[in-house]
Amino acid sequence: MSLLEIHDLKKYFPVGGGMFSRGKGTVKAVDGVTLSVNQGETLGLVGESGCGKSTLGRAILRLIEPTGGDVIFEGKNLLAISQRELRDMRREMQIIFQDPYASLNPRMRVGDIVGEGLEIHKLAKGKAKRDRVMELLHQVGLREDHYNRYPHEFSGGQRQRIGIARALAVNPKFIVCDEPVSSLDVSIQAQIINLLQELQEKMRLTYLFISHDLRVVEHISHRVAIMYLGKVVEIANSDTIYRDAKHPYTRALLSAVPMPDTNRKKERIVLEGDVPSPVNPPSGCAFHPRCSYRETVCSQTEPHLEFGADSHGVACHVFGPGRAAPTH
């Protein structure tokens, strides 16, 4: 059952128009994304820096206003409701930010940071608020004496635990995890990932987990979506993506992941050229200038996600559903 459905979501940013500029352009950060997130699952969202992953997560929550499309949460279109209704919906949808240093107000104590949502939504105050915050600190592996401390007194991993507690305070159903471990040491990353999985099982949470680290995504995700230049180019169950990826871009990303077994060798796929500008994306398939399998149709017609019988979606003229995967 889908908790969240996104239809043709777009977010364009205007650029240019300065004193010496001849005209304005548009950055197509998110360019027609359609996908769903099922109740209780983790959907991993992967892609190179600048592909639009974080913009998509923020547009879903209306932290930035989308340019077009629909975001349906529990049957309600979030882009068609008032600000007052949206404020009430904030209880159901939260976010864990990437940077645990910049996302916490340095002038607020931990108890006030975690408990702020409780007061905004009139869920608890006074002793009830304090008790709820203490409970949350315990859930994320912090101590009660951390309640009155300031963010600068904590390590990066501890700060991210504070951010997780803040997101959990209002009992949400859906959380956007925006690269929540990318700035942490590897050992701390594992602790935070395990914590998120434990909380998901205990509280029946649903995650959109945004990351550029394919190994982290493999560990935590039920399904994985691959983004390239503002579009989803492949989506499938996690096992399918890592075992039988079809899109040449996905296979190139996977080829760059280090293998834990040094005796196993795999061929590194080196992409041609640089990532095109989202201000002036290529015609047809945005990936075709860098693809060694491109055909004439790839530069002329944009491919759309097509799904096979196993719910494996691929946006590729050459290796779409029913076609053979690349041989290397």
Side-chain angles (χ1 to χ4, degrees):
M1 176 182 176
S2 295
L3 178 70
L4 176 73
E5 295 182 1
I6 305 160
H7 300 289
D8 197 30
L9 191 65
K10 299 181 178 72
K11 178 57 184 178
Y12 298 164
F13 295 96
V15 295
M19 182 179 298
F20 301 104
S21 174
R22 294 186 177 182
K24 295 184 178 180
T26 301
V27 174
K28 298 180 178 180
V30 177
D31 193 17
V33 170
T34 297
L35 52 78
S36 63
V37 186
N38 298 323
Q39 178 83 43
E41 81 164 345
T42 298
L43 175 64
L45 188 62
V46 180
E48 294 172 288
S49 296
C51 72
K53 306 185 300 297
S54 294
T55 302
L56 176 61
R58 285 166 167 73
I60 289 171
L61 301 181
R62 280 185 66 180
L63 297 180
I64 55 176
E65 288 295 329
T67 304
D70 296 298
V71 178
I72 312 298
F73 182 79
E74 292 190 317
K76 182 175 290 188
N77 190 347
L78 300 185
L79 306 189
I81 61 178
S82 66
Q83 286 294 329
R84 182 181 181 86
E85 291 175 298
L86 180 62
R87 179 175 175 176
D88 293 337
M89 292 295 293
R90 297 284 189 215
R91 285 189 56 185
E92 310 292 339
M93 309 173 73
Q94 291 289 308
I95 185 170
I96 300 169
F97 294 100
Q98 175 181 357
D99 188 346
Y101 295 91
S103 61
L104 303 179
N105 189 331
R107 295 180 176 84
M108 293 178 67
R109 298 178 188 271
V110 168
D112 294 325
I113 291 172
V114 176
E116 187 175 24
L118 297 172
E119 293 196 352
I120 290 174
H121 293 283
K122 298 181 171 62
L123 298 176
K125 60 181 180 179
K127 185 178 183 302
K129 171 193 164 185
R130 183 181 178 86
D131 290 345
R132 173 59 176 157
V133 172
M134 290 294 190
E135 178 188 359
L136 289 162
L137 294 180
H138 177 73
Q139 282 183 325
V140 300
L142 296 173
R143 302 193 307 270
E144 290 187 0
D145 63 295
H146 290 152
Y147 185 95
N148 286 314
R149 296 188 183 181
Y150 290 95
H152 73 269
E153 300 179 67
F154 296 90
S155 67
Q158 289 175 318
R159 293 186 192 206
Q160 199 59 290
R161 291 175 186 269
I162 296 169
I164 293 171
R166 175 176 60 184
L168 295 175
V170 293
N171 290 317
K173 296 178 181 177
F174 174 72
I175 299 179
V176 173
C177 304
D178 186 10
E179 303 207 40
V181 298
S182 64
S183 62
L184 306 177
D185 293 339
V186 174
S187 60
I188 305 301
Q189 287 184 7
Q191 295 176 18
I192 297 299
I193 292 297
N194 290 336
L195 173 62
L196 289 172
Q197 290 180 308
E198 292 169 6
L199 292 169
Q200 181 177 44
E201 183 175 347
K202 181 179 179 180
M203 305 176 69
R204 301 181 63 188
L205 295 169
T206 302
Y207 295 145
L208 175 65
F209 190 91
I210 300 169
S211 180
H212 62 271
D213 189 326
L214 284 153
R215 283 301 170 212
V216 169
V217 170
E218 181 182 19
H219 182 72
I220 196 173
S221 302
H222 299 93
R223 290 189 300 140
V224 178
I226 310 295
M227 278 192 76
Y228 183 79
L229 214 64
K231 301 177 185 292
V232 172
V233 297
E234 187 164 8
I235 183 169
N237 291 331
S238 180
D239 290 342
T240 301
I241 287 288
Y242 287 88
R243 172 177 45 83
D244 187 31
K246 293 187 178 298
H247 199 284
Y249 176 63
T250 307
R251 294 179 70 87
L253 290 179
L254 291 172
S255 77
V257 177
M259 295 288 291
D261 185 352
T262 56
N263 293 321
R264 293 179 59 190
K265 295 183 179 180
K266 61 180 179 179
E267 183 179 354
R268 174 70 187 274
I269 301 172
V270 180
L271 297 177
E272 304 173 11
D274 298 319
V275 180
S277 169
V279 178
N280 186 27
S283 60
C285 174
F287 184 65
H288 87 263
R290 307 176 71 194
C291 182
S292 59
Y293 300 98
R294 59 182 176 267
E295 297 179 358
T296 302
V297 66
C298 300
S299 62
Q300 297 175 344
T301 306
E302 179 184 342
H304 299 286
L305 272 178
E306 297 181 19
F307 288 85
D310 57 353
S311 299
H312 187 168
V314 186
C316 182
H317 293 300
V318 182
F319 300 110
R323 306 178 183 92
T327 56
H328 64 273

